[in-house]
Amino acid sequence: AQTVTQSQPEMSVQEAETVTLSCTYDTSESNYYLFWYKQPPSRQMILVIRQEAYKQQNATENRFSVNFQKAAKSFSLKISDSQLGDTAMYFCALRNSGNTPLVFGKGTRLSVIA
Amino acid sequence: DTGVSQDPRHKITKRGQNVTFRCDPISEHNRLYWYRQTLGQGPEFLTYFQNEAQLEKSRLLSDRFSAERPKGSFSTLEIQRTEQGDSAMYLCASSLETGNTEAFFGQGTRLTVV
């Protein structure tokens, strides 16, 4: 069975600072995909960043980047220059290839403080 | 196309009543997923479709739950004889079958059973 663990229920960061959210996972598959989704209060979940397990290079999307450590089964999200609009729940998720259903962690509630 | 839409956004029902939720996916997406999210938890997979075929059901999906996607477009999720433990946010997502693309989520239907 696949599992995703987010060990930080809540975090806060000052505006313009950098924050890192942790995620570990377990899977027996060799080909899989990892995601970070953002769920703002009362709004729909949107994709922040994705990583293919077969790619060694860490994914980057503007202020968002990941540190993918395949051997350690770790997939952390770094948010640089935090903005008030980054306040949200962040979910780490995993799925096999072929657009199979996602397995989510419990989430980390991030608050960006002015 | 405005994305994945779900109806209703909120539903309050008395214990023992039946409820039905609707999801309209992005029009070209042939995969459709249902998840359930309770307070403080990440979304949990319930079931998913490829076109009109139901490919997988989670063991979380008791006999009181049924989902359909009759013409491979919109989907309905019905809960019979609702219980207080069914209170949750029900999320729908859609994606393409191939290309290992992301899943797009709707805003969810929040069910409260009183």
Side-chain angles (χ1 to χ4, degrees):
Chain A
Q2 297 177 314
T3 60
V4 176
T5 302
Q6 294 180 249
S7 58
Q8 304 155 313
E10 294 187 24
M11 293 192 72
S12 62
V13 63
Q14 293 285 333
E15 198 175 7
E17 296 295 308
T18 296
V19 63
T20 298
L21 308 184
S22 301
C23 172
T24 58
Y25 63 92
D26 193 22
T27 179
S28 58
E29 300 292 327
S30 58
N31 191 17
Y32 55 90
Y33 296 78
L34 293 158
F35 304 83
W36 279 98
Y37 276 88
K38 170 185 178 181
Q39 189 177 41
S42 301
R43 293 180 61 187
Q44 68 203 93
M45 198 167 319
I46 57 173
L47 180 69
V48 174
I49 198 165
R50 55 180 282 163
Q51 173 82 42
E52 291 88 346
Y54 62 85
K55 290 187 177 179
Q56 291 187 326
Q57 187 172 5
N58 289 324
T60 299
E61 289 286 343
N62 301 315
R63 298 182 295 108
F64 299 88
S65 61
V66 299
N67 184 3
F68 175 46
Q69 301 289 326
K70 190 172 184 178
K73 294 184 177 177
S74 170
F75 183 62
S76 61
L77 174 69
K78 185 171 81 171
I79 306 174
S80 304
D81 186 26
S82 297
Q83 301 175 359
L84 295 177
D86 295 333
T87 293
M89 284 291 292
Y90 286 82
F91 293 99
C92 180
L94 162 73
R95 67 161 173 82
N96 296 333
S97 61
N99 287 343
T100 53
L102 293 158
V103 176
F104 286 89
K106 289 187 176 183
T108 296
R109 184 179 303 278
L110 177 67
S111 298
V112 180
I113 303 166
Chain B
D1 195 338
T2 57
V4 179
S5 63
Q6 293 187 243
D7 183 70
R9 293 286 308 281
H10 303 273
K11 177 72 176 178
I12 300 174
T13 190
K14 291 184 178 179
R15 191 174 50 188
Q17 297 294 304
N18 299 344
V19 294
T20 300
F21 310 141
R22 176 178 170 128
C23 172
D24 287 89
I26 294 172
S27 57
E28 63 266 28
H29 286 180
N30 54 2
R31 289 261 168 113
L32 186 149
Y33 312 82
W34 286 100
Y35 295 86
R36 181 171 66 189
Q37 185 179 18
T38 53
L39 204 60
Q41 302 293 319
E44 296 174 299
F45 165 70
L46 294 178
T47 187
Y48 81 114
F49 294 84
Q50 179 169 308
N51 299 314
E52 66 275 10
Q54 190 170 21
L55 295 187
E56 186 180 346
K57 292 192 294 185
S58 164
R59 65 181 186 279
L60 294 175
L61 211 65
S62 77
D63 291 343
R64 297 184 297 104
F65 287 69
S66 62
E68 294 183 337
R69 195 182 182 197
K71 297 183 180 179
S73 56
F74 72 91
S75 175
T76 58
L77 178 68
E78 181 183 17
I79 309 174
Q80 296 182 327
R81 304 181 305 280
T82 51
E83 302 173 356
Q84 285 189 321
D86 297 331
S87 295
M89 175 76 83
Y90 290 84
L91 297 172
C92 177
S94 70
S95 75
L96 295 169
E97 172 190 356
T98 58
N100 289 309
T101 57
E102 68 180 279
F104 291 82
F105 283 80
Q107 290 187 290
T109 294
R110 182 169 295 283
L111 173 66
T112 303
V113 182
V114 298

